[in-house]
Amino acid sequence: MTIRGIILSWPFYGTLLLSRKPFSTPIRALHTMRLVQFECDNKRGVGVQLSNEGDVVDLCSADPSVPRDMRGFLDGGQAMIDTAKQIVESGRSILPADKVKLLAPMTNPDKVLCVGNNYKDHCDEQGVPVPTEPVFFNKFPSTIIGPGDPIPYPVETESLDWEVELAIVIGKKGKNIKKSEAMTHVVGYTVAHDVSARDWQFSGHNGGQWLIGKSMDAFCPLGPAIVMKEDLKDPHNLGLRTRVNGETKQDSNTKQLVFKTTLTPCWCHNKVLHTFAW
């Protein structure tokens, strides 16, 4: 059960992936920059995907100073982005798409936080009131798998479910953040698949807490690419679609968002994250 053919979508839940270290300077993105982690010839690296499902520029092969993991790459700030731009423009180290396995674009975030009931039409569908403040829950980072990896059906559940998401990738920590400054903490966006064991989420298991129902093995397929925020003009006008075996199961739009992308990181940092150790 995988999600394919989706570039950017935000689901009925919005997942936030948080890297620990702040950027040294604001990042200026490449035009249509799609950052990926990949595997080729048993080696892992960081690259730039030239188009959706397209060839990949191997940044690590072109320049050994480029870290082989996305978190290390993003920690390099603007200097690393500039290096990536120069490599892409040089036309070097291009790997054919059929020779590359795309991995989750981020595999070691500190936190994976999600917002429940964040779409007006989804609230109407469930017959629940639209929330007046974000409803946060979390997944463990260990739930992350690649965008095409198989999702095992746990023997503990009889109600496996799916939801498509746009994940906000946050790379700069903060506290008491102003709404006007919230997006300076955001690196970009990627696709997430919020897999759930509904019987463990809603049927009285675990004292009514959602954690186990959201955090079983492989419950967060992620990727394939992180699109820089500068390359996405309007995150509040994106189609939302989940297809399972070719059948459309979800079809909505980010216009339905209750809490917008500028508010969610701000509220999250001010109300939640400063209570956790970084």
Side-chain angles (χ1 to χ4, degrees):
M1 190 184 303
T2 59
I3 296 176
R4 299 182 182 277
I6 302 171
I7 299 175
L8 283 177
S9 304
W10 189 304
F12 305 124
Y13 298 111
T15 302
L16 296 95
L17 309 182
L18 295 106
S19 296
R20 181 186 309 155
K21 299 179 182 177
F23 296 111
S24 56
T25 57
I27 287 185
R28 300 182 303 275
L30 292 173
H31 180 59
T32 63
M33 188 170 188
R34 297 171 54 86
L35 296 170
V36 297
Q37 290 188 135
F38 67 90
E39 186 176 87
C40 181
D41 295 330
N42 296 318
K43 293 182 179 180
R44 295 194 174 198
V46 173
V48 174
Q49 191 179 37
L50 296 178
S51 63
N52 184 33
E53 300 185 353
D55 297 341
V56 172
V57 178
D58 183 352
L59 301 178
C60 304
S61 175
D63 187 338
S65 71
V66 176
R68 289 191 171 273
D69 70 287
M70 186 64 69
R71 184 160 173 169
F73 175 85
L74 294 177
D75 282 344
Q78 187 59 48
M80 199 57 64
I81 294 295
D82 290 342
T83 296
K85 180 179 179 179
Q86 293 170 5
I87 294 171
V88 172
E89 290 179 346
S90 74
R92 295 181 289 127
S93 302
I94 299 177
L95 301 174
D98 60 359
K99 301 296 183 181
V100 170
K101 178 184 178 181
L102 295 178
L103 310 173
M106 177 71 74
T107 50
N108 56 344
D110 284 350
K111 301 177 181 71
V112 180
L113 299 180
C114 313
V115 185
N117 295 331
N118 200 28
Y119 273 77
K120 297 175 183 176
D121 55 353
H122 187 48
C123 293
D124 293 340
E125 176 187 348
Q126 298 179 97
V128 299
V130 175
T132 58
E133 62 181 32
V135 180
F136 279 101
F137 64 93
N138 72 292
K139 289 176 176 283
F140 293 127
S142 58
T143 62
I144 294 174
I145 60 173
D149 291 344
I151 302 171
Y153 201 121
V155 297
E156 295 82 4
T157 182
E158 297 179 357
S159 185
L160 199 67
D161 203 3
W162 52 81
E163 289 181 287
V164 61
E165 308 196 15
L166 177 71
I168 306 175
V169 183
I170 297 179
K172 179 182 176 182
K173 67 179 181 180
K175 180 179 177 180
N176 298 328
I177 299 169
K178 297 178 181 179
K179 182 178 178 181
S180 60
E181 299 174 354
M183 294 306 293
T184 66
H185 295 259
V186 173
V187 180
Y189 307 91
T190 189
V191 176
H193 182 177
D194 176 22
V195 184
S196 305
R198 295 299 191 195
D199 43 3
W200 278 88
Q201 183 183 359
F202 293 129
S203 298
H205 292 295
N206 197 36
Q209 298 185 39
W210 291 9
L211 183 62
I212 293 179
K214 291 290 188 178
S215 291
M216 294 184 184
D217 289 345
F219 270 23
C220 189
L222 195 65
I226 296 173
V227 176
M228 303 294 285
K229 64 184 178 186
E230 292 84 352
D231 292 327
L232 186 61
K233 294 182 179 179
D234 185 6
H236 303 115
N237 188 22
L238 299 171
L240 311 168
R241 285 169 292 276
T242 301
R243 298 185 182 95
V244 180
N245 298 327
E247 181 181 353
T248 298
K249 297 291 188 178
Q250 292 176 311
D251 192 350
S252 187
N253 192 285
T254 54
K255 293 177 181 179
Q256 296 286 331
L257 270 172
V258 178
F259 303 103
K260 307 300 184 183
T261 58
T262 52
L263 177 61
T264 303
C266 179
W267 198 98
C268 181
H269 274 280
N270 294 350
K271 306 296 185 182
V272 180
L273 296 188
H274 68 267
T275 64
F276 290 86
W278 287 87

